[in-house]
Amino acid sequence: MRVAIVGAGPAGVAAAIFLKRYGIQLDLFEKDQVGGLIANAWRVENIPFFDPCPGEKIVELLQRNLRYFSIEIVHEEVLEVKGKKLRTKSFEQEYDKILVASGTLPKRITEFEVCEKVVYEFKHLPKSMDSLAIYGAGDAAFDGALKAAEKGVKNVHIFNRSSTIRALPRLVELAKNSPIVYHEKEPIIEVGQQQNLIIKTNKTSYHFDALLICIGRMPNVGFVTEKTHDVYIVGDASGGFRQMSIAVGQAIEACMRMVNEQ
């Protein structure tokens, strides 16, 4: 059996290691970097057999385990999965099974994308900055604010367009007990650029070095044009709860079904 795995986040890496231990031939595709969104995490606290650690540490562990099992990554973007066929820019290949662990894409506000300092993931922020605006009120927004504050960003503001906070209460509490400034019912209505970013809200204007937009994400499965019994979509790409442990569990379950169907 030959298996293609799309995505080298926690779910994709877990699947690759599982199949490798069974001696199954596999190709692991990743267009960006190992780790997926977990690389952005300020602190991963919900895996009981790990000490709390930053997402970068999880990425290091994933990379180390890939090397330990001699699993190479195919650094190509998968353009289409159509049944058993997988296509990239340079080749097309048919596999016995395809596991899609391609994560999510951000919900974008294209009119705010005035320069490279407006991003949707923490890892894409400028390496050096004194001030950061974050738009959103979910886990990613508060987690990103805490990470920025810990990294020494002096002026961190969270803008929430409403009064509803969807973030984990622990993250909200930690942010409240920090220098992070929280703006409620203050939507960003315009982003401009001079020497730095000009953030206009319904109340006033601010100047920041960068803007992190965290208003939600959606499954990254647009390249799957034909879903058959041999195509497994797992983890965040499946559209369910976005938790690393759930994603890994779904990937392992899918691999066990592949093995049993041999």
Side-chain angles (χ1 to χ4, degrees):
M1 181 167 65
R2 185 174 183 183
V3 179
I5 300 169
V6 185
V13 172
I17 292 171
F18 183 96
L19 296 173
K20 183 80 173 184
R21 294 178 71 233
Y22 271 87
I24 293 173
Q25 188 178 3
L26 66 95
D27 291 327
L28 175 58
F29 292 86
E30 174 56 57
K31 66 177 180 179
D32 193 3
Q33 300 172 344
V34 171
L37 285 181
I38 200 65
N40 301 300
W42 165 62
R43 188 180 295 169
V44 179
E45 300 181 316
N46 57 351
I47 307 296
F49 35 83
F50 285 151
D51 290 333
C53 63
E56 290 97 335
K57 180 65 177 177
I58 301 294
V59 173
E60 290 177 10
L61 290 170
L62 295 174
Q63 292 171 329
R64 187 189 309 170
N65 280 301
L66 287 173
R67 290 193 297 271
Y68 179 80
F69 287 99
S70 300
I71 298 171
E72 300 290 336
I73 292 178
V74 182
H75 289 286
E76 289 210 41
E77 181 179 4
V78 174
L79 300 177
E80 184 178 28
V81 169
K82 186 175 183 181
K84 293 184 176 185
K85 291 183 179 178
L86 180 147
R87 179 172 60 87
T88 72
K89 187 176 180 180
S90 62
F91 71 92
E92 184 171 317
Q93 176 74 42
E94 184 166 315
Y95 291 87
D96 297 301
K97 305 285 184 182
I98 298 177
L99 185 136
V100 176
S102 49
T104 57
L105 294 172
K107 294 181 179 177
R108 296 170 57 186
I109 308 177
T110 55
E111 60 266 34
F112 288 178
E113 299 172 6
V114 295
C115 68
E116 71 280 359
K117 294 179 180 178
V118 179
V119 303
Y120 295 92
E121 291 190 44
F122 192 95
K123 63 185 179 185
H124 295 147
L125 284 168
K127 299 302 178 190
S128 176
M129 56 183 173
D130 290 326
S131 60
L132 172 65
I134 300 176
Y135 195 24
D139 287 348
F142 279 84
D143 189 88
L146 289 164
K147 185 170 183 175
E150 186 176 89
K151 286 183 172 293
V153 180
K154 300 172 184 174
N155 197 16
V156 181
H157 289 229
I158 298 173
F159 292 88
N160 183 0
R161 66 180 178 179
S162 70
S163 59
T164 301
I165 297 177
R166 298 183 305 279
L168 191 72
R170 173 169 166 74
L171 295 177
V172 177
E173 189 64 27
L174 288 169
K176 285 182 178 178
N177 294 319
S178 77
I180 295 167
V181 180
Y182 171 68
H183 301 262
E184 193 165 271
K185 295 183 179 179
E186 190 170 353
I188 295 174
I189 57 177
E190 186 178 340
V191 178
Q193 183 191 19
Q194 291 181 347
Q195 188 172 0
N196 48 19
L197 293 178
I198 302 170
I199 307 290
K200 292 184 180 180
T201 71
N202 61 337
K203 295 181 180 179
T204 186
S205 296
Y206 306 84
H207 290 253
F208 290 97
D209 291 330
L211 169 63
L212 175 62
I213 300 176
C214 306
I215 58 168
R217 304 190 68 87
M218 51 192 177
N220 178 24
V221 291
F223 59 92
V224 180
T225 59
E226 184 179 335
K227 168 78 169 66
T228 67
H229 173 76
D230 297 303
V231 177
Y232 302 75
I233 300 177
V234 302
D236 295 1
S238 69
F241 294 114
R242 292 198 290 118
Q243 287 287 326
M244 182 171 65
S245 52
I246 293 174
V248 169
Q250 289 179 346
I252 296 299
E253 182 182 15
C255 291
M256 293 187 74
R257 282 191 271 134
M258 294 179 195
V259 170
N260 288 337
E261 289 175 4
Q262 279 190 105

PDB file of all heavy atoms in Angstrom, residues 159-180:
ATOM      1  N   PHE A 159      -8.567  44.252  19.765  1.00  0.00           N
ATOM      2  CA  PHE A 159      -9.799  44.935  19.365  1.00  0.00           C
ATOM      3  C   PHE A 159     -10.888  43.900  19.107  1.00  0.00           C
ATOM      4  O   PHE A 159     -10.726  43.003  18.273  1.00  0.00           O
ATOM      5  CB  PHE A 159      -9.563  45.771  18.107  1.00  0.00           C
ATOM      6  CG  PHE A 159      -8.649  46.945  18.323  1.00  0.00           C
ATOM      7  CD1 PHE A 159      -7.268  46.798  18.184  1.00  0.00           C
ATOM      8  CD2 PHE A 159      -9.160  48.169  18.709  1.00  0.00           C
ATOM      9  CE1 PHE A 159      -6.420  47.882  18.391  1.00  0.00           C
ATOM     10  CE2 PHE A 159      -8.322  49.263  18.928  1.00  0.00           C
ATOM     11  CZ  PHE A 159      -6.943  49.106  18.769  1.00  0.00           C
ATOM     12  N   ASN A 160     -11.996  44.040  19.816  1.00  0.00           N
ATOM     13  CA  ASN A 160     -13.147  43.155  19.674  1.00  0.00           C
ATOM     14  C   ASN A 160     -14.314  43.972  19.131  1.00  0.00           C
ATOM     15  O   ASN A 160     -14.672  44.999  19.720  1.00  0.00           O
ATOM     16  CB  ASN A 160     -13.497  42.539  21.036  1.00  0.00           C
ATOM     17  CG  ASN A 160     -14.650  41.550  20.955  1.00  0.00           C
ATOM     18  OD1 ASN A 160     -15.206  41.321  19.876  1.00  0.00           O
ATOM     19  ND2 ASN A 160     -15.013  40.973  22.080  1.00  0.00           N
ATOM     20  N   ARG A 161     -14.911  43.531  18.045  1.00  0.00           N
ATOM     21  CA  ARG A 161     -15.986  44.320  17.453  1.00  0.00           C
ATOM     22  C   ARG A 161     -17.271  44.266  18.285  1.00  0.00           C
ATOM     23  O   ARG A 161     -18.167  45.077  18.077  1.00  0.00           O
ATOM     24  CB  ARG A 161     -16.273  43.834  16.039  1.00  0.00           C
ATOM     25  CG  ARG A 161     -16.832  42.430  15.963  1.00  0.00           C
ATOM     26  CD  ARG A 161     -17.094  42.006  14.537  1.00  0.00           C
ATOM     27  NE  ARG A 161     -17.584  40.640  14.466  1.00  0.00           N
ATOM     28  CZ  ARG A 161     -17.911  40.042  13.332  1.00  0.00           C
ATOM     29  NH1 ARG A 161     -17.808  40.675  12.192  1.00  0.00           N
ATOM     30  NH2 ARG A 161     -18.332  38.793  13.339  1.00  0.00           N
ATOM     31  N   SER A 162     -17.377  43.283  19.189  1.00  0.00           N
ATOM     32  CA  SER A 162     -18.586  43.159  20.006  1.00  0.00           C
ATOM     33  C   SER A 162     -18.180  43.032  21.486  1.00  0.00           C
ATOM     34  O   SER A 162     -17.039  43.293  21.856  1.00  0.00           O
ATOM     35  CB  SER A 162     -19.382  41.930  19.570  1.00  0.00           C
ATOM     36  OG  SER A 162     -18.704  40.736  19.938  1.00  0.00           O
ATOM     37  N   SER A 163     -19.119  42.587  22.307  1.00  0.00           N
ATOM     38  CA  SER A 163     -18.809  42.359  23.719  1.00  0.00           C
ATOM     39  C   SER A 163     -18.659  40.871  24.018  1.00  0.00           C
ATOM     40  O   SER A 163     -18.482  40.482  25.171  1.00  0.00           O
ATOM     41  CB  SER A 163     -19.911  42.953  24.597  1.00  0.00           C
ATOM     42  OG  SER A 163     -21.162  42.366  24.270  1.00  0.00           O
ATOM     43  N   THR A 164     -18.757  40.028  23.004  1.00  0.00           N
ATOM     44  CA  THR A 164     -18.639  38.583  23.188  1.00  0.00           C
ATOM     45  C   THR A 164     -17.190  38.143  23.043  1.00  0.00           C
ATOM     46  O   THR A 164     -16.539  38.444  22.029  1.00  0.00           O
ATOM     47  CB  THR A 164     -19.495  37.831  22.143  1.00  0.00           C
ATOM     48  OG1 THR A 164     -20.855  38.241  22.279  1.00  0.00           O
ATOM     49  CG2 THR A 164     -19.382  36.322  22.341  1.00  0.00           C
ATOM     50  N   ILE A 165     -16.696  37.441  24.042  1.00  0.00           N
ATOM     51  CA  ILE A 165     -15.342  36.892  23.992  1.00  0.00           C
ATOM     52  C   ILE A 165     -15.457  35.379  23.874  1.00  0.00           C
ATOM     53  O   ILE A 165     -16.060  34.727  24.733  1.00  0.00           O
ATOM     54  CB  ILE A 165     -14.535  37.262  25.256  1.00  0.00           C
ATOM     55  CG1 ILE A 165     -14.361  38.781  25.333  1.00  0.00           C
ATOM     56  CG2 ILE A 165     -13.176  36.573  25.241  1.00  0.00           C
ATOM     57  CD1 ILE A 165     -13.646  39.239  26.588  1.00  0.00           C
ATOM     58  N   ARG A 166     -14.877  34.817  22.821  1.00  0.00           N
ATOM     59  CA  ARG A 166     -14.947  33.370  22.595  1.00  0.00           C
ATOM     60  C   ARG A 166     -13.699  32.646  23.094  1.00  0.00           C
ATOM     61  O   ARG A 166     -13.628  31.413  23.024  1.00  0.00           O
ATOM     62  CB  ARG A 166     -15.139  33.090  21.100  1.00  0.00           C
ATOM     63  CG  ARG A 166     -16.415  33.655  20.524  1.00  0.00           C
ATOM     64  CD  ARG A 166     -16.578  33.269  19.066  1.00  0.00           C
ATOM     65  NE  ARG A 166     -15.422  33.648  18.267  1.00  0.00           N
ATOM     66  CZ  ARG A 166     -15.201  34.868  17.790  1.00  0.00           C
ATOM     67  NH1 ARG A 166     -16.080  35.831  18.039  1.00  0.00           N
ATOM     68  NH2 ARG A 166     -14.130  35.129  17.082  1.00  0.00           N
ATOM     69  N   ALA A 167     -12.753  33.383  23.591  1.00  0.00           N
ATOM     70  CA  ALA A 167     -11.492  32.769  24.014  1.00  0.00           C
ATOM     71  C   ALA A 167     -11.664  31.989  25.312  1.00  0.00           C
ATOM     72  O   ALA A 167     -12.593  32.217  26.095  1.00  0.00           O
ATOM     73  CB  ALA A 167     -10.425  33.829  24.189  1.00  0.00           C
ATOM     74  N   LEU A 168     -10.748  31.077  25.522  1.00  0.00           N
ATOM     75  CA  LEU A 168     -10.687  30.289  26.751  1.00  0.00           C
ATOM     76  C   LEU A 168     -10.604  31.228  27.961  1.00  0.00           C
ATOM     77  O   LEU A 168      -9.790  32.152  27.968  1.00  0.00           O
ATOM     78  CB  LEU A 168      -9.442  29.404  26.684  1.00  0.00           C
ATOM     79  CG  LEU A 168      -9.261  28.301  27.709  1.00  0.00           C
ATOM     80  CD1 LEU A 168     -10.237  27.169  27.427  1.00  0.00           C
ATOM     81  CD2 LEU A 168      -7.820  27.786  27.631  1.00  0.00           C
ATOM     82  N   PRO A 169     -11.444  31.018  28.983  1.00  0.00           N
ATOM     83  CA  PRO A 169     -11.407  31.920  30.151  1.00  0.00           C
ATOM     84  C   PRO A 169     -10.010  32.087  30.758  1.00  0.00           C
ATOM     85  O   PRO A 169      -9.657  33.179  31.206  1.00  0.00           O
ATOM     86  CB  PRO A 169     -12.364  31.234  31.138  1.00  0.00           C
ATOM     87  CG  PRO A 169     -13.326  30.506  30.260  1.00  0.00           C
ATOM     88  CD  PRO A 169     -12.524  30.025  29.099  1.00  0.00           C
ATOM     89  N   ARG A 170      -9.218  31.021  30.760  1.00  0.00           N
ATOM     90  CA  ARG A 170      -7.863  31.138  31.341  1.00  0.00           C
ATOM     91  C   ARG A 170      -7.025  32.155  30.568  1.00  0.00           C
ATOM     92  O   ARG A 170      -6.290  32.954  31.161  1.00  0.00           O
ATOM     93  CB  ARG A 170      -7.169  29.770  31.343  1.00  0.00           C
ATOM     94  CG  ARG A 170      -5.711  29.822  31.761  1.00  0.00           C
ATOM     95  CD  ARG A 170      -5.140  28.426  32.007  1.00  0.00           C
ATOM     96  NE  ARG A 170      -3.695  28.444  32.077  1.00  0.00           N
ATOM     97  CZ  ARG A 170      -2.974  28.903  33.098  1.00  0.00           C
ATOM     98  NH1 ARG A 170      -3.595  29.396  34.162  1.00  0.00           N
ATOM     99  NH2 ARG A 170      -1.669  28.886  33.075  1.00  0.00           N
ATOM    100  N   LEU A 171      -7.124  32.142  29.232  1.00  0.00           N
ATOM    101  CA  LEU A 171      -6.369  33.100  28.431  1.00  0.00           C
ATOM    102  C   LEU A 171      -6.849  34.527  28.692  1.00  0.00           C
ATOM    103  O   LEU A 171      -6.039  35.454  28.795  1.00  0.00           O
ATOM    104  CB  LEU A 171      -6.516  32.768  26.940  1.00  0.00           C
ATOM    105  CG  LEU A 171      -5.919  31.445  26.466  1.00  0.00           C
ATOM    106  CD1 LEU A 171      -6.214  31.231  24.976  1.00  0.00           C
ATOM    107  CD2 LEU A 171      -4.414  31.411  26.701  1.00  0.00           C
ATOM    108  N   VAL A 172      -8.161  34.685  28.819  1.00  0.00           N
ATOM    109  CA  VAL A 172      -8.725  36.015  29.070  1.00  0.00           C
ATOM    110  C   VAL A 172      -8.250  36.531  30.428  1.00  0.00           C
ATOM    111  O   VAL A 172      -7.852  37.703  30.573  1.00  0.00           O
ATOM    112  CB  VAL A 172     -10.257  35.966  29.014  1.00  0.00           C
ATOM    113  CG1 VAL A 172     -10.845  37.331  29.343  1.00  0.00           C
ATOM    114  CG2 VAL A 172     -10.723  35.506  27.632  1.00  0.00           C
ATOM    115  N   GLU A 173      -8.270  35.665  31.411  1.00  0.00           N
ATOM    116  CA  GLU A 173      -7.851  36.070  32.752  1.00  0.00           C
ATOM    117  C   GLU A 173      -6.378  36.471  32.770  1.00  0.00           C
ATOM    118  O   GLU A 173      -5.989  37.472  33.382  1.00  0.00           O
ATOM    119  CB  GLU A 173      -8.094  34.921  33.739  1.00  0.00           C
ATOM    120  CG  GLU A 173      -7.900  35.291  35.202  1.00  0.00           C
ATOM    121  CD  GLU A 173      -8.893  36.345  35.698  1.00  0.00           C
ATOM    122  OE1 GLU A 173      -9.988  36.413  35.130  1.00  0.00           O
ATOM    123  OE2 GLU A 173      -8.555  37.085  36.642  1.00  0.00           O
ATOM    124  N   LEU A 174      -5.551  35.684  32.104  1.00  0.00           N
ATOM    125  CA  LEU A 174      -4.125  36.004  32.039  1.00  0.00           C
ATOM    126  C   LEU A 174      -3.900  37.339  31.322  1.00  0.00           C
ATOM    127  O   LEU A 174      -3.048  38.141  31.742  1.00  0.00           O
ATOM    128  CB  LEU A 174      -3.368  34.889  31.310  1.00  0.00           C
ATOM    129  CG  LEU A 174      -3.217  33.571  32.070  1.00  0.00           C
ATOM    130  CD1 LEU A 174      -2.701  32.462  31.137  1.00  0.00           C
ATOM    131  CD2 LEU A 174      -2.256  33.749  33.246  1.00  0.00           C
ATOM    132  N   ALA A 175      -4.657  37.578  30.271  1.00  0.00           N
ATOM    133  CA  ALA A 175      -4.510  38.843  29.545  1.00  0.00           C
ATOM    134  C   ALA A 175      -4.944  40.024  30.406  1.00  0.00           C
ATOM    135  O   ALA A 175      -4.303  41.085  30.402  1.00  0.00           O
ATOM    136  CB  ALA A 175      -5.321  38.790  28.250  1.00  0.00           C
ATOM    137  N   LYS A 176      -6.025  39.837  31.157  1.00  0.00           N
ATOM    138  CA  LYS A 176      -6.514  40.928  32.019  1.00  0.00           C
ATOM    139  C   LYS A 176      -5.496  41.296  33.092  1.00  0.00           C
ATOM    140  O   LYS A 176      -5.433  42.440  33.536  1.00  0.00           O
ATOM    141  CB  LYS A 176      -7.836  40.525  32.674  1.00  0.00           C
ATOM    142  CG  LYS A 176      -9.025  40.566  31.727  1.00  0.00           C
ATOM    143  CD  LYS A 176     -10.314  40.202  32.451  1.00  0.00           C
ATOM    144  CE  LYS A 176     -11.510  40.305  31.510  1.00  0.00           C
ATOM    145  NZ  LYS A 176     -12.777  39.907  32.177  1.00  0.00           N
ATOM    146  N   ASN A 177      -4.710  40.312  33.523  1.00  0.00           N
ATOM    147  CA  ASN A 177      -3.701  40.553  34.550  1.00  0.00           C
ATOM    148  C   ASN A 177      -2.336  40.877  33.950  1.00  0.00           C
ATOM    149  O   ASN A 177      -1.302  40.596  34.543  1.00  0.00           O
ATOM    150  CB  ASN A 177      -3.586  39.330  35.470  1.00  0.00           C
ATOM    151  CG  ASN A 177      -4.844  39.116  36.280  1.00  0.00           C
ATOM    152  OD1 ASN A 177      -5.444  40.075  36.774  1.00  0.00           O
ATOM    153  ND2 ASN A 177      -5.275  37.869  36.394  1.00  0.00           N
ATOM    154  N   SER A 178      -2.365  41.416  32.759  1.00  0.00           N
ATOM    155  CA  SER A 178      -1.128  41.785  32.068  1.00  0.00           C
ATOM    156  C   SER A 178      -1.291  43.209  31.525  1.00  0.00           C
ATOM    157  O   SER A 178      -2.371  43.784  31.593  1.00  0.00           O
ATOM    158  CB  SER A 178      -0.868  40.807  30.915  1.00  0.00           C
ATOM    159  OG  SER A 178      -1.708  41.127  29.819  1.00  0.00           O
ATOM    160  N   PRO A 179      -0.241  43.769  30.943  1.00  0.00           N
ATOM    161  CA  PRO A 179      -0.364  45.131  30.370  1.00  0.00           C
ATOM    162  C   PRO A 179      -1.163  45.176  29.068  1.00  0.00           C
ATOM    163  O   PRO A 179      -1.339  46.248  28.493  1.00  0.00           O
ATOM    164  CB  PRO A 179       1.099  45.530  30.120  1.00  0.00           C
ATOM    165  CG  PRO A 179       1.926  44.607  30.941  1.00  0.00           C
ATOM    166  CD  PRO A 179       1.166  43.322  30.971  1.00  0.00           C
ATOM    167  N   ILE A 180      -1.649  44.047  28.596  1.00  0.00           N
ATOM    168  CA  ILE A 180      -2.402  44.024  27.336  1.00  0.00           C
ATOM    169  C   ILE A 180      -3.663  44.885  27.464  1.00  0.00           C
ATOM    170  O   ILE A 180      -4.384  44.805  28.466  1.00  0.00           O
ATOM    171  CB  ILE A 180      -2.783  42.572  26.968  1.00  0.00           C
ATOM    172  CG1 ILE A 180      -1.519  41.754  26.680  1.00  0.00           C
ATOM    173  CG2 ILE A 180      -3.724  42.541  25.772  1.00  0.00           C
ATOM    174  CD1 ILE A 180      -1.742  40.270  26.626  1.00  0.00           C
TER     175      ILE A 180
END
